Amino acid sequence: MKKFVSLMLTLALMLSLGAFNFVAQAEEAEEAKEDFVEWNSGTEFTPDEDQTFLDFLGSEPTSLDPARASDNYAINIMTNIYEPLVLVHTGSNGDLEYIAGGASWEVSEDGTVYTFHLRDNQWWDGQPVTAQDYEYALKRAIDPATGAPYVYLLSDILNAVPEEAEEADGEEAEDAEEAEAPEFDMDAVGVKALDDKTLEITLKAPSATFLHVMSQSIAFPVRQDKIEEFGEAYGTETDKVMGNGPFTITEWTHNTKIVLEKNDTYWNAANVVYTTVEIPIMSDENTIMQSFMNREIFAAGATKPEWREKFEADPDVEKITMDNIATFFMMFNTQDELFSNAKVRRAFSAALDREDFNETIWFGNLKPATGWVPLTIYVGDQNYREAAGNQVDALHEQVPDPKALLDEALTEMGMEDKIDNLEVSIILGATDAWFRTFGEYLQSVFKEVLNVDLKVEQLDWTVFSDRVSKSDYQIGYMAWGSELIEPNAMLLIHADGSPQVGTYWNNEEYNKLVHKAQNTVDDAERLQLYIDAEKILMEESPVAPVVHSVTNTYRYDFLKNVDDLVWGNMGYRQGFISGK
């Protein structure tokens, strides 16, 4: 799903995914069918007349511009107002399946050229969707001037990364950082509209995850005329966005509510059942829980025992528990004088008792982190986390006394006077009572283990995101969910000094390993490259993974035919209300 994801993210209506082989899936999908799966037909249930879905968002979306948005709240909305080339849903055998969204496709024998054949679809204003719209969107995202936070996902495309940046290492890399960005030849990028209905994308090398990348928000189409008309304001208001997906956005009262209405000009409108989706924006846990109890929203995640007991006692509510695709973590600003020191970062990470954290804060509902990459990630048919082992345990073994390591680091930095007089600050991306309790817990832990005084700042999500993007913090706390089934999405966000999670950490050996893994076809070799890279990440500790997400989602049983695939992007395209 940057997935900046708040701590209260419910990730509702998902289930965990079994293992599968990405390369095999790509081969099977070479001849995508032009006639789409009828995703809401053939069920035993009859849809009710009223098809108003009541959902919610935990925070205000930052933008509905696919190239600029970086938070999951925005992606949840954009998934339903734009049509990607590729849709991902649960296949007939229960596994992930790639199916034609905006286009069907074929792949060259060497796996490097994807030719997409567009459907007949329209933008909301009736203008035809063309291959040039997708070309423009992808090249705009790739253009360094855009500053797209998800651009790393497109790095498999031929010439999508400036050659100078790819080859820079050591002293050259430092020079590259100081120098102006290299001139970018957009005409050389491997994305080309052959005609209005045909888009050709050429890769540097075969990729195990490219079809999945094409399902992500970074690959959503945009209209060049609308981008030029609205400029920086594109995607900030209902009248400053143009979509081509199954829903239009008819209301956006900032920080309060979003309303989507079914788009009757969508190519498969006849197979979309929901007519209206009302999405209040609310972050207070008690408000969310009470809204679910009152049927003012139809699904919610719950961790506190008292709410879980109430929901589980309701015969009309069903529970879905799953290992999720997200890791909750602390991140350290390596541009900060104190946290530029890896020993300091390792001391703070080792100070956390993940078991106690899970029991105290999450009531035992999540799982103590065993590494940076979450639990439901695979390389081929191998679960990555099982293969990589528990790298958090390795950290604790290497740092049995976090206080001693912190004191050592402070002495080396000439900050001996701070050994028993150190103050640091952490920012949290919510202002409710739950986060206040969370902050108090962290204050207690760091005081007891490190003798550090922790200042806690609770901020609105948009303010938090802005502070992180400006490197205006010392420690932050959030969660990150993977966009892809393989480890590359989780690991690329730390490569090349990426600003994605705001640590600004850069390690050349790590960069080389991650980029080599991207274009390594052999599963076993690719797996080892990812493991070696994650070990460097854990040793350097720009982030401190704390818990892996496990979602207890509760939803009313009148929601039918929901695609619960954790990796899916069907959104409100699939599902309907029956028996409410």
Side-chain angles (χ1 to χ4, degrees):
M1 308 117 239
K2 185 179 229 157
K3 264 204 195 136
F4 270 161
V5 191
S6 81
L7 280 172
M8 301 311 297
L9 178 66
T10 61
L11 294 174
L13 311 183
M14 294 177 173
L15 283 179
S16 60
L17 175 67
F20 66 95
N21 189 298
F22 241 94
V23 176
Q25 286 285 346
E27 290 174 351
E28 292 170 5
E30 288 186 5
E31 298 290 339
K33 294 181 179 179
E34 180 65 26
D35 294 326
F36 204 111
V37 176
E38 294 183 351
W39 55 65
N40 276 313
S41 64
T43 71
E44 59 184 297
F45 304 104
T46 301
D48 292 352
E49 182 177 352
D50 182 5
Q51 289 295 322
T52 302
F53 187 96
L54 304 181
D55 205 349
F56 79 97
L57 283 181
S59 187
E60 169 83 356
T62 54
S63 170
L64 299 181
D65 181 343
R68 299 184 184 278
S70 59
D71 55 284
N72 210 55
Y73 313 112
I75 292 171
N76 285 346
I77 301 300
M78 293 191 301
T79 295
N80 295 286
I81 66 174
Y82 295 104
E83 185 72 351
L85 294 167
V86 178
L87 288 173
V88 186
H89 79 153
T90 304
S92 58
N93 62 355
D95 287 343
L96 175 150
E97 184 177 54
Y98 299 108
I99 49 182
S104 61
W105 62 86
E106 56 196 30
V107 188
S108 64
E109 289 187 6
D110 66 358
T112 63
V113 180
Y114 286 72
T115 304
F116 292 90
H117 304 283
L118 267 65
R119 297 182 181 281
D120 292 329
N121 197 19
Q122 297 180 29
W123 293 96
W124 295 340
D125 62 0
Q127 184 168 312
V129 178
T130 68
Q132 288 85 353
D133 295 327
Y134 287 93
E135 177 187 11
Y136 172 75
L138 287 166
K139 287 185 174 179
R140 175 174 177 256
I142 289 168
D143 187 346
T146 303
Y150 277 131
V151 67
Y152 63 90
L153 291 176
L154 302 177
S155 59
D156 283 331
I157 296 176
L158 182 66
N159 296 322
V161 179
E163 186 175 349
E164 293 90 339
E166 286 187 330
E167 294 179 350
D169 62 29
E171 184 177 339
E172 291 180 8
E174 294 179 8
D175 292 340
E177 290 176 4
E178 296 174 0
E180 294 182 3
E183 186 174 341
F184 204 94
D185 184 2
M186 199 58 66
D187 291 336
V189 172
V191 180
K192 183 179 181 180
L194 303 182
D195 54 47
D196 286 350
K197 289 291 187 179
T198 312
L199 179 71
E200 181 181 87
I201 300 179
T202 304
L203 308 185
K204 293 181 294 188
S207 169
T209 57
F210 181 68
L211 282 179
H212 208 92
V213 169
M214 289 297 97
S215 74
Q216 298 299 301
S217 60
I218 191 67
F220 290 175
V222 291
R223 281 251 298 275
Q224 182 173 357
D225 62 329
K226 295 301 179 181
I227 297 295
E228 293 174 348
E229 177 182 356
F230 299 124
E232 295 288 328
Y234 181 84
T236 61
E237 302 288 346
T238 55
D239 61 350
K240 291 181 174 61
V241 61
M242 177 60 64
N244 67 333
F247 292 86
T248 63
I249 180 167
T250 58
E251 178 184 339
W252 185 1
T253 305
H254 292 291
N255 295 300
T256 302
K257 187 178 184 180
I258 293 174
V259 177
L260 305 180
E261 299 286 348
K262 180 178 173 179
N263 174 22
D264 290 332
T265 66
Y266 176 59
W267 69 268
N268 203 21
N271 220 355
V272 176
V273 182
Y274 295 128
T275 57
T276 304
V277 185
E278 297 184 2
I279 311 170
I281 298 170
M282 49 188 177
S283 60
D284 180 72
E285 183 182 22
N286 288 331
T287 301
I288 295 169
M289 298 300 100
Q290 197 60 55
S291 295
F292 181 71
M293 290 282 289
N294 296 338
R295 297 195 177 198
E296 295 168 354
I297 58 175
F298 293 162
T303 56
K304 287 186 176 178
E306 58 266 33
W307 288 113
R308 293 170 59 193
E309 290 173 5
K310 289 180 181 179
F311 298 161
E312 289 169 20
D314 188 334
D316 296 329
V317 172
E318 59 184 15
K319 176 185 177 183
I320 303 153
T321 299
M322 68 171 197
D323 285 334
N324 224 313
I325 56 175
T327 296
F328 295 86
F329 63 99
M330 290 194 314
M331 71 276 200
F332 306 108
N333 181 3
T334 63
Q335 293 184 344
D336 178 79
E337 179 184 8
L338 179 65
F339 289 100
S340 66
N341 188 299
K343 290 182 179 179
V344 172
R345 301 193 299 264
R346 284 169 63 81
F348 273 80
S349 182
L352 292 173
D353 181 335
R354 273 76 174 175
E355 293 279 357
D356 183 71
F357 193 103
N358 184 39
E359 292 298 325
T360 303
I361 297 299
W362 292 102
F363 308 101
N365 286 302
L366 306 189
K367 293 184 179 179
T370 55
W372 166 250
V373 177
L375 299 170
T376 50
I377 300 293
Y378 288 82
V379 177
D381 59 1
Q382 172 66 60
N383 179 278
Y384 175 81
R385 199 65 274 149
E386 292 176 2
N390 193 322
Q391 296 187 20
V392 172
D393 277 355
L395 171 68
H396 285 293
E397 291 173 3
Q398 295 161 8
V399 187
D401 188 345
K403 170 62 173 168
L405 182 61
L406 177 61
D407 292 352
E408 178 185 329
L410 293 174
T411 300
E412 291 176 356
M413 298 172 73
M415 301 172 65
E416 296 94 335
D417 60 322
K418 299 293 185 181
I419 285 179
D420 289 311
N421 188 34
L422 183 63
E423 296 181 357
V424 300
S425 64
I426 186 170
I427 58 174
L428 305 176
T431 59
D432 59 30
W434 189 95
F435 273 85
R436 184 168 60 251
T437 301
F438 173 74
E440 291 169 352
Y441 171 82
L442 290 177
Q443 287 176 321
S444 174
V445 167
F446 289 134
K447 186 64 177 178
E448 178 182 350
V449 180
L450 299 176
N451 195 23
V452 167
D453 292 317
L454 181 69
K455 176 186 176 182
V456 178
E457 293 184 76
Q458 290 185 248
L459 309 169
D460 288 332
W461 178 252
T462 52
V463 178
F464 173 91
S465 299
D466 185 61
R467 287 275 298 272
V468 171
S469 67
K470 293 178 178 177
S471 189
D472 182 18
Y473 78 103
Q474 285 187 296
I475 308 174
Y477 193 88
M478 58 184 179
W480 198 279
S482 177
E483 295 83 16
L484 306 177
I485 185 88
E486 289 223 352
N488 51 335
M490 291 294 290
L491 297 175
L492 277 169
I493 58 174
H494 300 295
D496 307 309
S498 169
Q500 278 298 96
V501 295
T503 66
Y504 303 96
W505 172 76
N506 198 8
N507 180 286
E508 287 304 319
E509 182 60 27
Y510 176 90
N511 299 341
K512 292 176 183 177
L513 289 167
V514 173
H515 291 310
K516 183 177 180 181
Q518 275 186 279
N519 299 121
T520 298
V521 175
D522 182 78
D523 289 349
E525 182 181 355
R526 191 166 71 253
L527 173 63
Q528 190 58 54
L529 289 167
Y530 285 135
I531 292 173
D532 292 344
E534 189 187 33
K535 286 180 179 177
I536 293 174
L537 182 71
M538 293 297 295
E539 289 167 0
E540 288 280 310
S541 295
V543 289
V546 179
V547 288
H548 296 308
S549 176
V550 177
T551 299
N552 291 308
T553 297
Y554 296 88
R555 70 182 180 210
Y556 287 101
D557 60 8
F558 53 72
L559 293 178
K560 306 298 185 183
N561 201 39
V562 177
D563 189 350
D564 288 316
L565 180 67
V566 68
W567 300 102
N569 66 342
M570 295 297 291
Y572 307 123
R573 290 170 178 80
Q574 183 167 330
F576 55 86
I577 297 167
S578 178
K580 180 174 177 290

